[in-house]
């Protein structure tokens, strides 16, 4: 099956610093990648959709200058949380979609970010 | 607006059957997904329905009625490891997934 990896799996950073999260599709080419955020006991919240080689499309209320997304290749997308604050602490999950006929999104294992 | 409704929490007994319902309202419709999510982990794919009817896959089955905007996930022969949140997601006309809040399923011995 399709495998998506995320790195790091967890990270603790100080307020004001930036954190980069990588999302890789290991055995397929991901034309579209999605970034989600999930707070405890809540559902997934889509932050942005990125297509390889083009700018990401951000959901309403998500600051594009704070959450920088780069989808430089068909197997790699990165999310950088800039000037992180404690309220940015959350579970960040990426997913990738390759074969458009199935529309299935394959999820990475998630990254737990804690900002102190 | 777009909306997905599913129960917040359900409890069932090991070995029994449980049905988790989901109703949806979306701008256009390109299918309905069910995902399983264990605490602290990412969701894993369970099923995809785009046509009316029942899709059976082992102990899990998923049903869709497009005219009613309704789906359910049926879990048979429940095992303790089935304790998880089950997420319903409908794909709209832009192929975006609209997610429900998830149903936490608690399995008791």
């Amino acid at each position: 099956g399709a495998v998506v990896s995320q790195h790091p799996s967890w990270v603790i950073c100080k307020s004001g610093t930036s954190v980069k999260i990588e999302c890789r599709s290991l055995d397929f080419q991901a034309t579209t990648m999605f970034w989600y955020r999930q707070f405890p006991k809540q559902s997934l919240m889509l932050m942005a959709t990125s297509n390889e080689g083009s700018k990401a499309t951000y959901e309403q209320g998500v600051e594009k200058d704070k959450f920088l997304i780069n989808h430089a290749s068909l197997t790699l997308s990165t999310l950088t949380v800039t000037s992180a604050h404690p309220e940015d602490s959350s579970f960040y999950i990426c997913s990738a979609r390759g074969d458009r006929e199935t529309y299935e999104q394959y999820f990475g294992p998630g990254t737990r970010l804690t900002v102190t | 607006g777009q909306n997905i409704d599913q129960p917040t929490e359900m409890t069932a007994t090991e070995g029994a059957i449980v049905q988790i319902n989901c109703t949806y309202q979306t701008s256009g419709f390109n299918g309905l997904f069910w995902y399983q999510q264990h605490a602290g982990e990412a969701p894993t794919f369970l099923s995809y329905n785009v046509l009316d009817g029942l899709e059976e896959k082992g102990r899990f089955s998923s049903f869709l009625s497009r005219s009613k905007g309704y789906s359910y996930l049926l879990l048979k022969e429940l095992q303790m490891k089935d304790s998880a949140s089950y997420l319903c997601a409908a794909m709209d006309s832009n192929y975006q997934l609209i997610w429900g809040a998830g149903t936490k399923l608690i399995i008791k011995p």
Side-chain angles (χ1 to χ4, degrees):
Chain A
V3 179
V4 176
S5 70
Q6 252 181 271
H7 178 81
S9 54
W10 60 270
V11 58
I12 301 173
C13 71
K14 292 186 177 180
S15 188
T17 61
S18 295
V19 174
K20 180 186 281 189
I21 302 170
E22 291 187 351
C23 177
R24 293 182 184 271
S25 56
L26 299 184
D27 52 2
F28 68 103
Q29 293 186 324
T31 52
T32 306
M33 285 186 167
F34 304 86
W35 286 96
Y36 293 88
R37 181 166 55 182
Q38 187 175 35
F39 293 104
K41 299 184 180 181
Q42 294 186 22
S43 189
L44 297 172
M45 291 174 48
L46 179 65
M47 298 175 68
T49 302
S50 72
N51 292 292
E52 184 266 338
S54 61
K55 290 183 178 180
T57 302
Y58 290 80
E59 295 299 300
Q60 194 170 9
V62 178
E63 300 174 55
K64 62 180 180 181
D65 294 331
K66 180 171 180 63
F67 299 99
L68 302 178
I69 292 172
N70 186 299
H71 192 161
S73 76
L74 285 172
T75 60
L76 174 65
S77 176
T78 60
L79 167 67
T80 302
V81 183
T82 62
S83 187
H85 291 284
E87 57 265 31
D88 298 324
S89 298
S90 187
F91 191 45
Y92 291 86
I93 311 173
C94 74
S95 70
R97 186 173 69 198
D99 183 353
R100 198 166 175 82
E101 291 182 358
T102 63
Y103 305 117
E104 180 182 343
Q105 292 184 25
Y106 303 97
F107 284 87
T111 297
R112 189 160 301 283
L113 170 64
T114 302
V115 185
T116 61
Chain B
Q2 308 200 99
N3 190 53
I4 307 286
D5 282 317
Q6 55 181 127
T8 304
E9 187 174 296
M10 299 181 72
T11 302
T13 305
E14 190 177 15
I17 299 172
V18 71
Q19 177 174 311
I20 304 174
N21 296 323
C22 170
T23 57
Y24 63 89
Q25 284 183 305
T26 54
S27 301
F29 180 73
N30 280 301
L32 193 293
F33 290 82
W34 284 97
Y35 282 83
Q36 179 191 62
Q37 186 178 25
H38 285 100
E41 298 180 11
T44 55
F45 171 80
L46 290 178
S47 66
Y48 171 66
N49 295 64
V50 67
L51 301 176
D52 285 353
L54 185 68
E55 297 267 352
E56 297 186 73
K57 193 185 293 184
R59 292 189 300 115
F60 292 6
S61 302
S62 57
F63 172 83
L64 176 67
S65 169
R66 295 178 63 134
S67 62
K68 296 181 179 178
Y70 167 71
S71 173
Y72 68 72
L73 180 69
L74 189 71
L75 292 77
K76 302 177 184 176
E77 301 169 18
L78 287 170
Q79 302 175 8
M80 297 304 292
K81 67 178 182 179
D82 297 331
S83 293
S85 286
Y86 291 85
L87 307 176
C88 171
M91 183 171 285
D92 67 11
S93 57
N94 293 321
Y95 301 99
Q96 294 277 45
L97 284 181
I98 311 301
W99 293 89
T103 298
K104 182 178 180 181
L105 178 63
I106 300 169
I107 310 295
K108 294 185 175 180

